[in-house]
């Protein structure tokens, strides 16, 4: 197993935000963490990346505990992260935004091959290489944010609300990009507040409600579970 979260508890300002979270992501898998806004998805991601220190439990990457490690060290182990909001460096071009991780993290892959892999996820970005990032639409900035994380050469990509705020016409473009990431042999953990935006090729979903995972299984199994289905309908 690539990522394994076991009995994770997080307290913020004396309040239990996550309770006994268990979650796993295998090699080459797309795993989705689904829940309404405020359910605990972003806190889970921030805990994985070291921004938040859990009060109990463990987060292991390839058998190595990440608890207590600084964020930059976690990223160097092969975890990429695109936070909710898809921020870009507006003063930089698209090309410089995407190339930036090749300057900050060295891997066995060349900078050229890493940026090529990033553009391969969303080929449309090739024609925007010289354009300032803030001249792009919201959907295009979302693509740049994901492509920039890809240029880190991650083995696991954490995507927080990759479909948020997108027009229905752009949802297939993002889904196609996620499939291309899997085709490159990488894994994805996707947080999403709307179940109906999830790609059909997700390997497994977890439904989180009030800081607790209340369902684990396939999308088909979720739709056949009355309790899960009620929660799913509440996210749409």
């Amino acid at each position: 197993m690539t990522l394994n979260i076991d009995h994770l508890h997080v307290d913020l300002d004396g309040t239990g935000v996550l309770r006994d979270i268990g979650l796993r992501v295998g090699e080459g898998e797309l795993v989705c963490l689904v829940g309404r806004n405020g359910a605990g998805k972003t806190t889970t991601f921030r805990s994985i990346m070291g921004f938040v220190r859990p009060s109990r439990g463990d987060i292991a990457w390839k058998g190595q505990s990440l608890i207590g490690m600084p964020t930059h060290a976690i990223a160097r182990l092969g975890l990429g992260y695109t936070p909710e909001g898809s921020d870009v460096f507006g003063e930089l071009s698209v090309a410089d935004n995407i190339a930036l991780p090749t300057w900050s993290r060295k891997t066995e892959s060349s900078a050229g091959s890493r940026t090529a892999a990033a553009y391969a996820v969303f080929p449309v970005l090739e024609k925007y290489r010289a354009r300032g990032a803030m001249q792009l639409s919201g959907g295009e900035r979302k693509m740049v944010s994901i492509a920039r994380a890809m240029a880190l050469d991650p083995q696991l990509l954490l995507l927080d609300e990759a479909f948020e705020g997108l027009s229905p016409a752009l949802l297939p473009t993002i889904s196609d990009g996620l499939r291309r990431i899997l085709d490159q042999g990488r894994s994805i953990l996707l947080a999403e507040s709307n179940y109906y935006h999830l790609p059909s090729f997700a390997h497994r979903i977890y439904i989180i409600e009030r800081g607790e995972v209340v369902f684990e299984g396939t999308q088909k199994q979720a739709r056949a579970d009355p309790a899960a289905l009620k929660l799913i309908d509440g996210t749409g």
Side-chain angles (χ1 to χ4, degrees), residues 140-202:
E140 290 161 348
R141 290 198 298 274
K142 184 84 71 173
M143 292 183 227
V144 171
S145 179
I146 295 173
R148 184 179 60 202
M150 283 293 296
L152 277 167
D153 197 20
Q155 294 168 278
L156 172 64
L157 191 59
L158 309 180
L159 301 179
D160 196 354
E161 301 285 4
F163 295 95
E164 182 184 34
L166 297 181
S167 69
L170 269 176
L171 299 182
T173 300
I174 301 299
S175 288
D176 289 345
L178 300 190
R179 189 185 289 278
R180 293 186 188 105
I181 292 172
L182 296 180
D183 289 344
Q184 292 185 17
R186 307 174 199 270
S187 305
I188 302 171
L189 179 59
L190 170 69
E192 179 54 49
S193 58
N194 189 331
Y195 170 86
Y196 296 99
H197 289 169
L198 298 182
S200 61
F201 49 89

